Structure formats: C-alpha cells, structure tokens
Amino acid sequence: MEFFKEYWWVLVILLMVGILMNVYKDLKRIDHKKFLENKPKLPPHRDFNHKWDDEDDWPKKK
C-alpha cells in the first residue's frame, strides 16, 4: 500500500495514456472522405430577426 500512496500519480498517468490510445484508435477508424461524400444538406438558415425590427423605438425625425 505504501507504493500506491507514494506513486498514485503513475497510475493516473497510465490511465490517461490508455484513454488517449483508445481515442486515437477510434479516430483512425473514421473515414472522413466517405462522410464528406454522403454529407446531408443543411436546411436554409431561418433568421426571424426581421420580425423583431418591425417596431421602431427611435423617435421619428420631422
């Protein structure tokens, strides 16, 4: 138990290295060219700000 008390940070580093290795292997499996070929079209952007600008709060100049 003394080993774990003194060198707990080594276990944390090993855990982080294992996580990074799994992430790297999963990212290598992604085929970005196939995704870009079959990418779905985005719907048109709908901005409703023009409806909020109907009221003019500024005083009108004469």
Side-chain angles (χ1 to χ4, degrees), residues 19-60:
I19 291 172
L20 288 175
M21 286 175 50
N22 282 330
V23 167
Y24 178 74
K25 286 194 299 188
D26 286 341
L27 287 176
K28 294 258 314 172
R29 285 188 213 150
I30 295 174
D31 188 11
H32 63 279
K33 290 181 183 177
K34 184 177 177 183
F35 173 77
L36 289 176
E37 289 173 359
N38 299 327
K39 185 171 64 169
K41 293 278 185 184
L42 290 176
H45 180 67
R46 294 183 184 163
D47 190 6
F48 294 113
N49 286 337
H50 68 281
K51 292 182 180 178
W52 299 338
D53 290 337
D54 286 344
E55 298 175 359
D56 192 13
D57 296 335
W58 294 94
K60 298 194 185 250

Side-chain angles (χ1 to χ4, degrees), residues 4-20:
F4 292 121
K5 286 181 185 176
E6 293 178 17
Y7 298 106
W8 59 269
W9 53 273
V10 174
L11 296 173
V12 172
I13 290 175
L14 288 175
L15 178 72
M16 292 300 219
V17 167
I19 291 172
L20 288 175

